[in-house]
Amino acid sequence: MNTAATPKAQVPDIAAQITFAMRTMGIPPIPRNYELFYEAYIGANPALTRDLAALGNRATQDDLDAIGEQYFRNPTRVFETAHSKIVAELDGLLRLLKQEQNSLESYNKLLGETYTRINTKSTASADILRSAIGILTEATGDTMAHGEKTVESVSQKSQEMDEVRKELDEYKRIANTDSLTRLANRRAFDDRLASLYTQSANPALTALVLIDIDHFKKINDTYGHPVGDKILATVATVIRANVRKDTFVARTGGEEFALIVNGNTPDEVNMICERIRIALETTPFKNSKSGVNYGPVTISLGYSMAGDCEDPGELYSKSDIALYCAKNTGRNRTRFFEEGMKKDFSKSWLIYKR
């Protein structure tokens, strides 16, 4: 994103452009296809973008589903498989418990019949007791063995269901992680941003920071995408190293990053932003083999406070305006949103929501 050079009349409507691209290629506008084109449009995964472009106008739904399975798997299929496994395990567990119930009912019936025989005075007491002890001993042993087997089976079923849970947790982690930088991705960012006004204990001390690498297109055009990918990974590492562990850090687009910072005043957030900016400005970006220097690599940052906004959309818009002002006034700087900033550029966060 190069916000400094984008006048208001030329601000792209991302949703419209994605829909137009799908229509041009004859792609059905269903949610999973839109997700593919969205990921390709924001440039978060160059390999996905290239594979999708290579299909041209010959793409079939099977081709698109294969690409989706390769890069972020089909969530519907994952959850359907997990659902089937859990249903099967619960069905087996219910059968075990039913068998255990039947076993206990038979044992109780036997106890009742034995008691009746012991209570009958017409038969020799010694014979009754011998017979009763033998019957009860055998029945008790069988019932205990059956119970132990049931406990073992229930434990196994529980372990198997726990494995399904772990599989779903791992899928969620992968689905919410950017493959290049290992940061949270746009999907995870959208979820976290949407939750700020429902889960945050103190939105007044929560800030949204938007970050954009300066002149990144020039870096890609000059040195190629492999070098650009390495720079993106390094930028992500520097950002992560200069914030607290509890700070939410995401890669939200090609060269765009975001922070959600909790528990800090605007001045403290500014100090965090400046620490990141200076750290990157002074980080060497050099090829150790060829000696080619790719740097310096700088970033622009814009932020606003959640307590000054009514909802996630307004928070995103204000931070984006602040970022635009940072880039439009020279780049390599941090700007805090202030009333009166030029509002001729603003992307709505809502266009990213799916």
Side-chain angles (χ1 to χ4, degrees):
M1 177 179 76
N2 191 340
T3 58
T6 308
K8 182 179 180 181
Q10 297 178 352
V11 174
D13 182 340
I14 294 180
Q17 290 198 10
I18 293 174
T19 304
F20 176 77
M22 293 171 65
R23 188 184 305 117
T24 300
M25 294 178 64
I27 304 299
I30 58 180
R32 66 177 185 272
N33 290 343
Y34 182 89
E35 183 176 26
L36 274 175
F37 276 76
Y38 167 79
E39 295 286 346
Y41 184 92
I42 65 174
N45 191 327
L48 167 62
T49 303
R50 290 192 292 270
D51 287 351
L52 198 59
L55 295 178
N57 294 324
R58 305 183 307 277
T60 66
Q61 191 58 55
D62 287 342
D63 293 332
L64 296 169
D65 288 342
I67 291 178
E69 185 74 19
Q70 176 183 354
Y71 286 100
F72 39 80
R73 301 179 66 186
N74 187 323
T76 301
R77 188 175 304 170
V78 171
F79 287 111
E80 285 178 351
T81 300
H83 178 266
S84 297
K85 288 181 179 178
I86 291 175
V87 168
E89 298 298 340
L90 287 175
D91 184 59
L93 186 57
L94 288 174
R95 285 200 302 270
L96 284 172
L97 295 176
K98 183 65 175 178
Q99 292 172 4
E100 181 68 10
Q101 180 185 8
N102 292 338
S103 176
L104 290 174
E105 287 175 353
S106 298
Y107 184 63
N108 287 336
K109 183 179 179 181
L110 179 62
L111 287 177
E113 292 174 349
T114 304
Y115 172 79
T116 301
R117 293 181 60 187
I118 292 175
N119 202 37
T120 302
K121 299 180 179 179
S122 60
T123 310
S125 297
D127 292 339
I128 292 176
L129 290 175
R130 254 194 311 272
S131 175
I133 290 172
I135 292 172
L136 290 178
T137 299
E138 182 178 357
T140 302
D142 290 344
T143 301
M144 290 180 63
H146 187 275
E148 290 174 358
K149 184 177 180 181
T150 300
V151 169
E152 182 180 345
S153 298
V154 169
S155 178
Q156 181 181 349
K157 294 291 183 184
S158 298
Q159 290 176 6
E160 290 170 354
M161 284 190 284
D162 190 53
E163 289 300 318
V164 175
R165 179 191 61 78
K166 290 178 180 177
E167 181 180 340
L168 287 174
D169 288 345
E170 178 64 10
Y171 167 74
K172 182 178 180 181
R173 186 191 67 78
I174 294 172
N176 288 336
T177 301
D178 176 62
S179 59
L180 176 63
T181 62
R182 313 313 300 167
L183 298 177
N185 61 14
R186 181 84 206 198
R187 183 182 297 103
F189 169 74
D190 287 346
D191 290 342
R192 181 63 67 92
L193 186 62
S195 71
L196 284 184
Y197 291 84
T198 58
Q199 297 178 4
S200 178
N202 191 357
L205 294 179
T206 298
L208 171 63
V209 182
L210 298 182
I211 303 172
D212 189 280
I213 302 177
D214 298 325
H215 302 297
F216 188 70
K217 184 178 184 303
K218 182 178 179 181
I219 294 173
N220 274 336
D221 292 345
T222 303
Y223 302 110
H225 286 282
V227 171
D229 287 350
K230 290 181 180 178
I231 289 175
L232 283 169
T234 301
V235 169
T237 300
V238 172
I239 292 174
R240 180 77 270 181
N242 282 277
V243 296
R244 298 192 311 263
K245 289 184 178 180
D246 63 346
T247 300
F248 180 84
V249 186
R251 181 188 176 201
T252 56
E255 69 271 27
E256 302 170 4
F257 298 84
L259 309 177
I260 295 178
V261 184
N262 293 314
N264 294 98
T265 65
D267 287 343
E268 291 169 341
V269 175
N270 187 77
M271 292 175 61
I272 294 170
C273 291
E274 284 296 285
R275 183 167 66 240
I276 296 170
R277 187 187 66 78
I278 294 170
L280 265 172
E281 187 180 28
T282 56
T283 296
F285 289 85
K286 188 174 182 179
N287 189 312
S288 58
K289 295 181 179 179
S290 66
V292 175
N293 190 350
Y294 307 124
V297 174
T298 63
I299 56 173
S300 299
L301 307 94
Y303 71 98
S304 61
M305 304 301 294
D308 298 331
C309 305
E310 294 295 327
D311 53 46
E314 184 182 355
L315 177 61
Y316 185 94
S317 178
K318 286 184 175 180
S319 295
D320 202 47
I321 290 171
L323 173 61
Y324 166 69
C325 289
K327 296 188 77 71
N328 200 38
T329 54
R331 296 182 171 83
N332 191 24
R333 63 195 62 203
T334 299
R335 294 295 300 271
F336 173 55
F337 176 81
E338 298 173 353
E339 295 298 335
M341 280 184 167
K342 292 179 65 175
K343 296 181 175 60
D344 59 348
F345 176 87
S346 177
K347 293 197 304 295
S348 170
W349 164 71
L350 295 176
I351 66 175
Y352 296 110
K353 289 296 292 174
R354 297 188 299 280

